[in-house]
């Protein structure tokens, strides 16, 4: 996916929401602000480079290289959820390939936006899911509302109902 946007909203990356539906599902498999989908939180317009997503030209050109297989059809929408600002243009290009068959074990792409404001004391669940799949990562954006450091909370991965996490990080700043 390549995309660029013209908007009166200086933070349109948070107010425009991208949703993706695979094979006629009514519930989106992807539902996230546009900026976060392309790796940049808070609606910021900055350049960012990673293997699966990137933005360039101070956030104006957005690219996603995720493989997102589907069997019958795909529907992708972008909705302006701002009540104040309008979107003046949305240009995009989708590359896709048609295959005669897909393996029965093919996995669908999912992405979900979560937010907590104000942050409550204690743990914050980033992902809770069941079934087969691959966890590819998190776009983690924090904005402090008072002076100080937000870090030092350890990331923990509990797999298959574990009581003690299999994976435990060394602090939010490292995650």
């Amino acid at each position: 996916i390549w995309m660029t946007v013209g908007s009166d909203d200086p933070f349109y990356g948070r107010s425009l929401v991208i949703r993706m539906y695979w094979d006629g599902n009514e519930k989106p498999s992807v539902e996230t602000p546009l900026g976060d989908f392309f790796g940049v939180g808070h609606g910021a317009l900055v350049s960012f480079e990673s293997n699966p997503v990137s933005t360039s030209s101070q956030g104006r050109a957005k690219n996603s290289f995720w493989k997102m297989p589907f069997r019958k059809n795909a529907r992708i929408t972008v909705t302006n959820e701002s009540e104040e600002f309008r979107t003046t243009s949305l240009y995009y290009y989708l590359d896709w390939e048609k295959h005669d068959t897909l393996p029965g074990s093919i996995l669908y792409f999912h992405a979900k936006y979560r937010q907590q404001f104000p942050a409550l004391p204690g743990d914050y669940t980033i992902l809770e899911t069941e079934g087969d799949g691959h966890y590819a990562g998190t776009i983690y954006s924090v904005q402090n509302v008072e002076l100080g450091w937000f870090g030092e909370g350890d990331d923990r991965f509990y797999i298959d109902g574990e009581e003690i996490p299999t994976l435990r990080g060394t602090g939010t700043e490292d995650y």
Side-chain angles (χ1 to χ4, degrees), residues 76-163:
I76 301 174
T77 65
V78 177
T79 307
N80 182 1
E81 297 195 353
S82 171
E83 295 180 8
E84 184 178 353
F85 297 102
R86 66 188 189 103
T87 298
T88 56
S89 59
L90 174 75
Y91 298 97
Y92 62 91
Y93 187 83
L94 302 172
D95 282 323
W96 67 281
E97 297 176 0
K98 184 175 181 176
H99 297 271
D100 292 332
T101 61
L102 292 173
S105 61
I106 198 84
L107 299 174
Y108 288 93
F109 182 85
H110 294 270
K112 180 74 173 167
Y113 175 80
R114 298 179 75 160
Q115 175 181 316
Q116 187 178 83
F117 183 84
L120 302 174
D123 291 343
Y124 180 76
T125 301
I126 292 175
L127 173 68
E128 188 168 344
T129 190
E130 293 181 17
D132 293 337
H134 301 282
Y135 173 70
T138 298
I139 302 300
Y140 184 69
S141 304
V142 175
Q143 182 174 354
N144 282 354
V145 294
E146 54 187 62
L147 295 176
W149 173 241
F150 73 91
E152 299 309 330
D154 294 346
D155 49 299
R156 298 184 299 272
F157 290 77
Y158 299 85
I159 301 170
D160 295 333
E162 295 173 328
E163 295 288 326

